[in-house]
Amino acid sequence: MALGQRLELKQGQGLVITPQLQQAIKLLQLSNLELEAVIETELERNPLLQRDEADPVGEANESSDSDGPAIEAGDSRELELGDRDAMAANSEMDASTSDVYGDDAPVVRERDSVVSDSNEGPMVDWSKAGKGGGFDGDEDMERALTREKTLTEHLTDQALIAHFSAPEMAIAQVLIDGVDEAGYMRVPLAEIADRLGCELELVEKVLTACQGFEPTGIMAQSVPECLKLQLVERNRFDPAMQALIDNLELLARRDLSALRKVCGVDEEDLSEMITELKSLNPRPGSAYGAEPSQTVVPDVFVRPDANGGWRIDLNSDTLPRVLVDQKYHAKVATSARSDSEKSYLNECLSQANWLIKSLDQRARTILKVSAEIVRQQDAFFVYGVEYLRPLNLKTVADAVGMHESTISRVTSNKYVATPRGVFELKFFFTSSIASNDGTSAHSAEAVRYKIKTLIDGEKTSGEILSDDRIVEILKEAGVDIARRTVAKYREALRIPSSVERKRQIR
């Protein structure tokens, strides 16, 4: 078989996306700290950019009206963002993931540039600006794949498969955020219950479930509780061992005679108990990586207004203030002689203009999406975590007229300060089960409760309900649910199958 070269024509279709749009989208998903780092880099490399010192950041919080752009939740007039540049936030920054990260995108054509400067040069690559910027190199991908998983990520992964209801999942997220590097729960449960507006018993229930996560002993509130959880898992927590754990101060003082008396064991048994106690891990969280501790700075403030609604303000402290130095540009432009100098100057000008436009679009988009989330979850702010509505990215995307991937980028690494505390925007997205009449959805917790109620009623009715029969009953009640979902919820409630329940009755 002979090898040779040949020319071949191939016709295909593909979306063309400009480098400017890629960078604008990546700016959208950066956190405020990552964005500040990008701005500092641009200020250093672009001589036409300068900070706006006319309105110092320190004066921004003197009044509630100086926190930056603000809108009222539900105010359709202001949500329209009427000017032409503001409306560009819907279209120019709205692209799917495949548009931005596709490997086979065709070469960008000069006429497709959204900046109207004909002498525009290539833009600066911000793809590696922080963890929100994506992975454009093998080195970044390798580092991401080999990075040690943090304790928070490890616990969150387990919470996602723990069959929590929407309120319970929200509580679990707050509990996980309160775990220190050693794996201990340091935030008082009463404080969490008060902040989320729920009963203390519900928080304690969720914490008990989380304490069953790996590693054993995690999320304990004290060292004795941590050791107890590990002994219970080994089936070695008896009254004598409990007495030993309750009197660790005697062990610290090496008062073995007092320990033998308290535990009611002889010297040999006490020695074995101490040996087993030493085999336990008093710092279960230390086996996992830890991210550097950083103060969370909210991007958005949510405050009650005088009309009973909610006012949404951007945090001016997180909004970079940069300007194009037009005077300096005019001065330098007159002295530019060679084509390379003129090309460089035009490139800096177009990049500076695009950066300022992208920052404005980013702020307006965050504000618009945040306002919709607040509108959807207004009951949470009034009544507490148990009133979180089922919400997903598509619902918000349809409401604001954007793509789901854009909503995902907006809500990543963005935090909102509310009367109930500071939350990541993704906190407000909860699962739901659709109704078969196309009206409102049902929360997963409500459906689980209905399944449990139906099965509990078998004792009085005498009829054992199969999973298929439960599906029929729920569909008659307006809940569109699959049989496998009923089986999953039943198993999560630790309820045996209909066959096993019939055997128990016999």
Side-chain angles (χ1 to χ4, degrees):
M1 180 179 179
L3 297 178
Q5 295 180 337
R6 64 178 181 178
L7 292 175
E8 185 178 81
L9 292 176
K10 178 186 268 187
Q11 185 177 9
Q13 289 183 335
L15 292 174
V16 175
I17 182 168
T18 64
Q20 297 89 348
L21 179 54
Q22 292 188 39
Q23 292 150 8
I25 293 173
K26 291 173 183 177
L27 278 180
L28 183 63
Q29 63 188 356
L30 296 180
S31 67
N32 48 49
L33 295 178
E34 295 166 346
L35 179 63
E36 183 62 29
V38 169
I39 297 301
E40 288 295 333
T41 302
E42 282 299 291
L43 286 171
E44 291 177 0
R45 65 162 299 280
N46 194 330
L48 298 184
L49 278 175
Q50 67 174 12
R51 285 196 179 276
D52 181 11
E53 303 295 346
D55 185 13
V57 175
E59 299 176 0
N61 291 327
E62 291 183 0
S63 67
S64 61
D65 294 330
S66 62
D67 286 325
I71 56 179
E72 304 291 333
D75 189 343
S76 59
R77 178 183 60 81
E78 295 199 42
L79 281 177
E80 292 175 356
L81 303 174
D83 59 276
R84 184 175 59 183
D85 290 339
M87 289 301 293
N90 285 7
S91 58
E92 294 183 358
M93 300 187 71
D94 192 18
S96 63
T97 306
S98 60
D99 298 341
V100 182
Y101 300 106
D103 296 330
D104 300 325
V107 178
V108 177
R109 298 188 297 268
E110 183 65 25
R111 65 176 179 271
D112 291 321
S113 173
V114 294
V115 179
S116 59
D117 195 321
S118 59
N119 294 321
E120 176 191 350
M123 300 292 287
V124 178
D125 184 9
W126 294 335
S127 62
K128 300 178 182 178
K131 63 186 178 182
F135 304 100
D136 292 334
D138 294 338
E139 182 179 349
D140 291 326
M141 181 64 73
E142 181 180 356
R143 182 162 53 250
L145 294 175
T146 59
R147 178 179 65 86
E148 185 178 6
K149 181 177 289 189
T150 65
L151 178 61
T152 299
E153 293 170 343
H154 182 66
L155 295 176
T156 301
D157 290 344
Q158 296 179 77
L160 293 174
I161 59 175
H163 303 295
F164 284 136
S165 64
E168 290 172 348
M169 186 62 194
I171 295 172
Q173 291 177 353
V174 176
L175 289 173
I176 291 173
D177 289 340
V179 177
D180 64 11
E181 294 181 1
Y184 287 92
M185 183 69 226
R186 296 303 188 187
V187 183
L189 301 187
E191 177 183 325
I192 295 177
D194 181 66
R195 179 153 63 97
L196 296 180
C198 61
E199 298 294 332
L200 178 60
E201 290 76 10
L202 181 58
V203 179
E204 293 174 343
K205 173 187 173 183
V206 176
L207 177 61
T208 300
C210 292
Q211 288 176 345
F213 294 168
E214 292 292 334
T216 307
I218 201 69
M219 299 183 73
Q221 296 177 278
S222 63
V223 174
E225 184 180 14
C226 176
L227 300 177
K228 174 185 175 182
L229 291 172
Q230 296 179 55
L231 289 169
V232 169
E233 196 270 338
R234 297 183 181 187
N235 197 25
R236 289 286 294 129
F237 189 70
D238 52 26
M241 189 64 78
Q242 179 176 1
L244 176 59
I245 291 179
D246 292 340
N247 295 274
L248 291 177
E249 68 280 357
L250 295 178
L251 181 60
R253 296 200 304 263
R254 303 296 299 175
D255 192 349
L256 301 183
S257 60
L259 274 177
R260 287 195 297 270
K261 183 177 180 181
V262 170
C263 297
V265 296
D266 56 25
E267 184 175 350
E268 182 180 357
D269 289 339
L270 181 61
S271 177
E272 293 178 357
M273 292 167 61
I274 294 176
T275 300
E276 184 162 10
L277 201 62
K278 290 181 179 180
S279 68
L280 304 178
N281 184 7
R283 296 174 59 87
S286 60
Y288 295 87
E291 294 180 344
S293 298
Q294 294 179 342
T295 302
V296 173
V297 180
D299 300 86
V300 180
F301 292 111
V302 175
R303 305 182 179 97
D305 63 13
N307 299 323
W310 301 98
R311 178 180 175 83
I312 299 93
D313 304 280
L314 285 176
N315 184 2
S316 60
D317 290 346
T318 64
L319 297 178
R321 290 182 172 85
V322 290
L323 296 174
V324 178
D325 193 341
Q326 298 289 356
K327 292 183 179 179
Y328 182 71
H329 173 259
K331 180 179 179 181
V332 177
T334 57
S335 60
R337 298 178 181 179
S338 65
D339 292 339
S340 60
E341 291 176 352
K342 294 179 181 179
S343 175
Y344 172 74
L345 191 60
N346 288 331
E347 176 187 340
C348 290
L349 179 61
S350 62
Q351 291 174 5
N353 286 329
W354 177 258
L355 176 62
I356 293 174
K357 180 179 180 181
S358 298
L359 291 175
D360 179 67
Q361 291 174 342
R362 177 183 183 273
R364 292 176 180 274
T365 305
I366 292 174
L367 188 63
K368 186 173 184 179
V369 173
S370 300
E372 178 60 24
I373 292 176
V374 172
R375 189 185 71 82
Q376 293 280 354
Q377 300 290 10
D378 58 340
F380 163 78
F381 300 104
V382 178
Y383 302 109
V385 69
E386 296 186 18
Y387 290 86
L388 275 173
R389 293 180 56 191
L391 185 65
N392 54 34
L393 295 175
K394 186 177 186 304
T395 302
V396 177
D398 292 342
V400 299
M402 294 182 179
H403 194 276
E404 290 179 48
S405 64
T406 304
I407 305 302
S408 178
R409 294 184 183 99
V410 172
T411 54
S412 296
N413 306 312
K414 310 297 188 304
Y415 293 85
V416 53
T418 73
R420 295 195 176 277
V422 178
F423 303 94
E424 189 176 7
L425 285 177
K426 286 189 178 296
F427 170 87
F428 298 100
F429 293 93
T430 60
S431 61
S432 65
I433 297 176
S435 59
N436 55 15
D437 56 3
T439 57
S440 60
H442 303 271
S443 70
E445 176 61 20
V447 174
R448 270 194 282 265
Y449 179 78
K450 290 179 180 179
I451 292 174
K452 186 176 184 301
T453 302
L454 289 173
I455 295 177
D456 289 342
E458 293 176 347
K459 299 178 181 178
T460 56
S461 65
E463 178 187 1
I464 303 300
L465 302 175
S466 64
D467 292 344
D468 290 326
R469 177 56 181 155
I470 294 176
V471 169
E472 294 175 0
I473 296 175
L474 291 177
K475 286 187 175 180
E476 292 174 359
V479 181
D480 187 9
I481 190 171
R483 181 186 179 280
R484 61 180 179 275
T485 306
V486 171
K488 182 181 71 173
Y489 287 173
R490 175 177 52 74
E491 292 171 358
L493 294 169
R494 296 183 179 180
I495 298 175
S497 65
S498 58
V499 176
E500 294 175 350
R501 297 201 302 275
K502 289 179 180 179
R503 293 173 180 171
Q504 292 175 359
I505 294 178
R506 293 175 184 173

